[in-house]
Each structure stands twice: as C-alpha cells, then as structure tokens.
Amino acid sequence: MENSTALRTWLDDFKLDHPLVIAGPCSAETEQQVLKIAHELKDSDVSIYRAGIWKPRTRPGGFEGVGAIGLKWLQKAKAETGLLMATEVANATHVKLALEHDIDVLWIGARTTVNPFAVQEIADALAGTDKIVLVKNPVNPDLALWLGGVERLYNAGIKKLGVIHRGFSTYEKTKYRNIPEWQLVIELQNKFPDLPLICDPSHITGKRDMIQEVSQQALDLNYDGLIIETHTDPDNAWSDAAQQVTPTTLKHIFEALRVRKETGQDDGYNRKMAALRVNIDEFDKKIIDALGKRMKVSEQIGQVKKEFNVAVLQNKRWNEILDKMKAEGKEQGLNEEFIINIFKAIHQESITHQEKVINK
Ligand code: PEP
Ligand code: MN
C-alpha cells in the first residue's frame, strides 16, 4: 500500500471544518435505546453513529451483543436521523449481514485485527463494495500487524480506509484501560500521513472523566477524528458502562476541545513538537513509575534486612550498583557525574524507604 491522498478522499467528502466524529453506544441493546441515542446525537458534530451488534468479550458470560436483529434498528436509526451507521464485523457472515442491511461503515475490532485469517476473510467478503472500513489497532502494540490488516483490505480493492487507535493491552496496571503508546501511532502517521487516523479515547481510557484529556492529545497530534462511546444512560449500559458519556457530556467535550486549524506554515512545527512532547511525557511517566516500583522493592529488602537483623547501609553493594550504572550510562552517552547524582538521590530515597520499614 502506498501513501496517497486518495486514501483520504472519503473523509474529505464529508467536507467538515472539524475532526470527524463517530459516536453512539458501545452496544446496541434495544430498538428504543438505539433510536433514542441516535436522535440525541442527530443535530451535533456527529457524522457517523456507532453501535456494536456482535460484541467480542474477553471471557464468556458477558453480554455478547443482540446479533443481527440490531442491524434492523440501525437501519431505522439511519432512516430517522440521516446519520451514517457503523458496526463491528469479525467474520464473513457479519459482513454479509451488514451489507444486506446497508451499514455504511464497518470497523474491525482489536481482537480481530490480531488474526490475519479473520481479516482476510473479511476483506474477501467486502471485495467489490465501496464501504468505509476502519481497522482498530491489534490488542498488542505491533505496527506491522495493524498495517497488515489495512493492506489486506486495500489489496481486496477497499479504498475507503482508516485506522482507529484504541490503545494496547498491558499486563501492568496503568491509569489507562489500554495504554496509548502514542509513539507507535506517530510512526504510522509518519509512514502514511494520508491514511485517516481516528482516536478512540473511550477504549484507551476506560473512564469517562479521562475522555476529554485523551481526545485533546489526539487532536494536538493532528488525528482526523474521534470515536466516542455515547449512551443516554451510561451507568446502566450493558457493556463498557464506566467509559460511556451522555450526548450532553459529548457536546461539552467538543466545546472544550481546542481544534487546531491546519495552518500550512507552522503546521510542521506544531505537529513535530506535539509528537516529541508526547514522547517526552511518556518517558517521564515511565521514569516515575519505575522509581515508584524500585522503592517498593527497597521496602521489601528492608523487610528482609529487618528479619535477619542486617544493617540498612551495605556499602559494597552500593558501590557495585554505582559502577554498573556508570558503565550502562556511558553506553547511552550519559555523563558520569549525572549518573552519580541521580543514583545518589535514588540511593538516599531507598534508604529512607528501608528505614521506614525497619523502624516500624
Ligand atoms: C468496541 O468498539 O466496542 C470494541 C469492542 O472495541 P475494541 O475492539 O477496541 O476492544
Ligand atoms: Mn466498547
């Protein structure tokens, strides 16, 4: 697949003076719910209505979607509101049913993008149609796998393509439901600047009060659009309740967002700086996370020293650490004095944490 402005023709055709907005519930629940939310979103910045009909759940027993009946509700919502309709497809049967019900936009979920067989099956089922297809990133941070999914569709003749950044799974607990790993998406953006890029702050954050912040970060990085889960009764939603916002909140989020106009000259500067700053912020956060975790280990060491009645300060061990870090630092091009200063400070903080445990 080559980068070309043709990739974004479908998006330009919306003729928007703001980022593309896709909104609607995580899942279609009832006909009434689908219609009510669609009507509340009708006269807003929203262009495309989303609702999951088939829901991939991490574990069996969760709400797995209403199935094909929901497609009829979406058709009705489209007839009544004029909004384009979007739903998730995970296999050829889903595609066939979605096409039969005139769904406008199909998205491939994170759990499907990881599977080239499934993506190929979807691509084959879509060949010859002119649907808009959006590929969510795979659950694991693998750019090649994500692009591979887009390419399978492209090679099947689907040209109205876009990608959705919904964050990545991690074993470690973070403040995100799925960590953004912005730098990976920036890499994709640099390779394919014309491939429409949409942020899904709902699945990145998992929490409605973080949607605004992550949406702003995406816009600062020149994303082309946002997909935000919206429900008239979020707390009682049948799936992803914690991350859905009401249509009114959605409106407030948009009012507060700074949408930067793309102004030729300084655009390169702003975009580059925004990307680099996101990178720096992420590293700073990782440094603090690592320091916090290191101190927890120090406390465990303190506990063991207490048990065995050993002194906190072990000079030999400390000098070994320092020598090792000076060597590692040198490899990274870091000044020796800088390393000594940092590790003295870390060591001091460690001793404080150990003493806290020992004197308890
Ligand atoms: C969704 O959009 O509701 C969904 C299931 O998303 P993801 O594939 O990103 O988990
Ligand atoms: Mn969801």
Coordinates of all heavy atoms in Angstrom, one line a residue, residues 21 63 65 200-201 295 313:
V21 N -16.5 13.0 13.7 CA -16.9 12.4 15.0 C -17.8 11.2 14.8 O -18.8 11.3 14.0 CB -17.7 13.4 15.9 CG1 -18.0 12.8 17.2 CG2 -16.8 14.7 16.0
F63 N -22.2 -9.8 28.0 CA -23.2 -9.5 27.0 C -22.5 -9.6 25.6 O -21.6 -8.8 25.3 CB -23.8 -8.1 27.3 CG -24.7 -7.7 26.2 CD1 -25.8 -8.4 25.8 CD2 -24.4 -6.5 25.5 CE1 -26.6 -8.0 24.8 CE2 -25.3 -6.0 24.5 CZ -26.3 -6.8 24.1
G65 N -23.8 -9.2 22.7 CA -24.5 -8.4 21.6 C -25.8 -9.0 21.2 O -26.1 -10.2 21.5
D200 N -9.8 6.6 19.6 CA -10.9 6.0 20.4 C -10.5 6.2 21.9 O -10.0 5.3 22.5 CB -11.0 4.5 20.1 CG -12.1 3.8 20.9 OD1 -12.5 4.4 21.9 OD2 -12.5 2.7 20.5
P201 N -10.8 7.4 22.4 CA -10.4 7.7 23.8 C -11.2 6.8 24.8 O -10.8 6.6 25.9 CB -10.7 9.2 24.0 CG -11.8 9.5 23.0 CD -11.5 8.5 21.8
M295 N 11.3 1.7 44.7 CA 11.2 1.9 46.1 C 10.4 0.8 46.8 O 10.7 0.5 47.9 CB 10.6 3.3 46.4 CG 11.4 4.4 45.9 SD 13.2 4.3 46.4 CE 14.0 5.2 45.1
L313 N 22.6 0.1 55.5 CA 23.6 0.5 54.5 C 24.6 -0.6 54.2 O 25.3 -1.1 55.1 CB 24.3 1.8 55.0 CG 25.3 2.4 54.1 CD1 24.6 2.8 52.8 CD2 26.0 3.6 54.7

